[in-house]
């Protein structure tokens, strides 16, 4: 009976250790995903700001020639 109890203790301990390792690994992965999400949202916000700035300076150069937003598209090849 003593050998079975030792074996049961070892197997139970190994299972508990594996379960705890899985839980901590899942928490670590979730933390990494959250950090990645924050980084992507920051980068997208920066990109939006650059795009808005570029559009604003492009529209300012184009002048106000008849379109409602003050930007008139110039054709590359005029006939």
């Amino acid at each position: 009976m003593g050998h079975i109890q030792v074996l049961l203790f070892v197997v139970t301990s190994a299972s508990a250790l594996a379960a705890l390792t899985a839980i901590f690994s899942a928490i670590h992965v979730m933390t990494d995903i959250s950090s990645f999400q924050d980084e992507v949202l920051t980068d997208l916000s920066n990109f939006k700001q650059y795009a808005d700035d570029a559009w604003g300076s492009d529209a300012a150069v184009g002048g106000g020639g008849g379109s409602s937003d003050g930007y008139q598209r110039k054709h590359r090849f005029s006939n």
Side-chain angles (χ1 to χ4, degrees):
M1 213 54 183
H3 294 291
I4 293 176
Q5 288 178 344
V6 171
L7 181 62
L8 185 60
F9 176 76
V10 170
V11 170
T12 304
S13 298
S15 297
L17 182 62
L20 288 175
T21 302
I23 290 170
F24 286 127
S25 296
I27 290 171
H28 182 70
V29 168
M30 287 174 36
T31 303
D32 283 348
I33 289 172
S34 177
S35 175
F36 178 71
Q37 181 183 15
D38 291 342
E39 183 180 336
V40 166
L41 289 176
T42 301
D43 288 347
L44 282 175
S45 177
N46 290 340
F47 175 78
K48 183 184 180 309
Q49 184 64 42
Y50 293 143
D52 289 346
D53 290 346
W55 180 258
S57 66
D58 205 21
V61 169
S67 67
S68 63
D69 63 355
Y71 179 76
Q72 183 176 6
R73 183 174 175 189
K74 304 266 189 230
H75 294 283
R76 183 178 242 180
F77 300 106
S78 301
N79 291 342

